[in-house]
Amino acid sequence: MTIKTMIFGRRRPGLTLAEHRAHMKDIHGALVLDYIRLHPDQAPRRYVQNHAFDGVYPGSDTRVGVFTLGLDFVTEVWFPDLATAKASRETSFYIEHLRPDEPQMVDDSTVFGLPVTEDVIRTPGEPHEGRTKVFVVWHGAPPFAPDTSDAVAAIFASAPAHCRNLPVFPSPVHAVDVFFLADEAAAVAFAQSVRQAIGDETPSGTADVTITVAREYVLHAG
């Protein structure tokens, strides 16, 4: 069973967003690509960075800290199984090259890793420049309000592509819906529509979700 690990977090204190993004993509990304080239049986089979630039973070004491602050990135890595995913972080290459570089760009205290299974509801096409994602992270139960709301379901169905990610282990995150949009303007408008539709379905007007808008960078398509 293929496993995807979703890694949520914020940049290292003292870095601008531009500095963080440049390091993550051009320096750390290059190290991961070296790992894939040199150790293909141990490295991720697919590697995608998502650089956050907008989102909705209502805040709640019940959430994992990074989601109350707002995300700077969501990284997605795919492995053939859980054992391979775990072993990938225990190799000498990871320990000697990747692990020491992470604190150069990431605030370790905020990082939240989530192993998930991915259900492709509407298949994304080939990646293209400018493609943007909207991540809807469900913190409270029930995680699938759209399944019982025609209005929210209609908004979700309007996205060209949609993947639902379910945690492999019990987690404070119940699910993550990922939507693929053509560009940043379309993604921001979609995120606003999701916020409005979900809010209309909850008594308080604010559902227990985090919505993140991010630019997609497929560094290794697999």
Side-chain angles (χ1 to χ4, degrees), residues 148-167:
T148 57
S149 164
D150 291 342
V152 178
I155 295 296
F156 276 30
S158 71
H162 175 197
C163 297
R164 176 165 288 167
N165 302 273
L166 300 178

Side-chain angles (χ1 to χ4, degrees), residues 56-72:
V56 180
Y57 312 107
S60 167
D61 292 340
T62 64
R63 297 183 185 184
V64 175
V66 67
F67 296 107
T68 69
L69 299 170
L71 304 173
D72 287 332

Side-chain angles (χ1 to χ4, degrees), residues 10 23 28 83 110 112 117 121 132 140 152 191 203 208 214:
R10 290 181 58 84
H23 190 110
H28 194 78
T110 70
F112 179 73
T117 58
I121 296 172
T132 309
V152 178
D208 200 5

Side-chain angles (χ1 to χ4, degrees), residues 124-137:
E126 290 298 316
H128 60 81
E129 185 175 355
R131 187 162 77 176
T132 309
K133 290 177 181 171
V134 174
F135 295 83
V136 179
V137 178

Side-chain angles (χ1 to χ4, degrees), residues 193-215:
S193 296
V194 170
R195 177 189 60 188
Q196 183 65 46
I198 292 176
D200 288 346
E201 296 298 319
T202 57
S204 66
T206 303
D208 200 5
V209 298
T210 297
I211 302 172
T212 301
V213 188
R215 302 177 185 94

Side-chain angles (χ1 to χ4, degrees), residues 23-24 27-29 31 94-106:
H23 190 110
M24 173 166 274
I27 297 175
H28 194 78
L31 289 172
Y94 179 85
I95 293 168
E96 294 170 12
H97 299 283
L98 289 169
R99 186 68 188 101
D101 185 62
E102 290 171 359
Q104 303 304 310
M105 59 171 184
V106 169

Side-chain angles (χ1 to χ4, degrees), residues 11 16 30 39 42-43 47 55 74 88 95 117 130 132 140-141 143 178-179 205 219-220:
R11 65 191 183 276
T16 67
H39 305 284
Q42 299 167 314
Y47 174 47
V74 183
S88 183
I95 293 168
T117 58
T132 309
V178 183
F179 302 91
L219 299 188
H220 181 68

